[in-house]
Amino acid sequence: MPSILTIREKEIFNLIIQNKTTLEISNILYISEKTVRNHISNVIQKLGVKGRAQAVIELLRLKEITL
């Protein structure tokens, strides 16, 4: 089954579960903080959840990311 996340979205959520901040993620991936927030918002919208924490839980449940 294909992933519901883009490669970039997966990279960002893998960094989120490593407790990285938006600024740290933007520096690691060489993109702006706004771009990081846009990717996070897109994932939250795709999943129909209310925030980052719920998105992480849902992505773990769907086996899109692993701890």
Side-chain angles (χ1 to χ4, degrees):
M1 184 167 88
S3 175
I4 61 167
L5 298 182
T6 65
I7 292 166
R8 183 60 97 192
E9 290 166 349
K10 192 170 274 199
E11 287 174 325
I12 289 170
F13 272 85
N14 279 316
L15 290 167
I16 287 172
I17 61 173
Q18 292 172 42
N19 210 27
K20 302 290 185 205
T21 65
T22 304
L23 177 60
E24 289 169 328
I25 293 169
S26 72
N27 289 333
I28 291 166
L29 298 178
Y30 302 102
I31 57 179
S32 73
E33 283 185 84
K34 175 143 180 47
T35 302
V36 173
R37 288 192 299 273
N38 286 343
H39 283 299
I40 294 166
S41 293
N42 290 343
V43 172
I44 288 168
Q45 210 168 11
K46 279 183 194 180
L47 297 172
V49 295
K50 287 195 170 82
R52 290 180 191 208
Q54 281 187 331
V56 167
I57 292 166
E58 188 64 12
L59 291 171
L60 288 168
R61 191 184 69 75
L62 294 169
K63 296 181 175 38
E64 288 283 336
I65 58 173
T66 56
L67 288 175

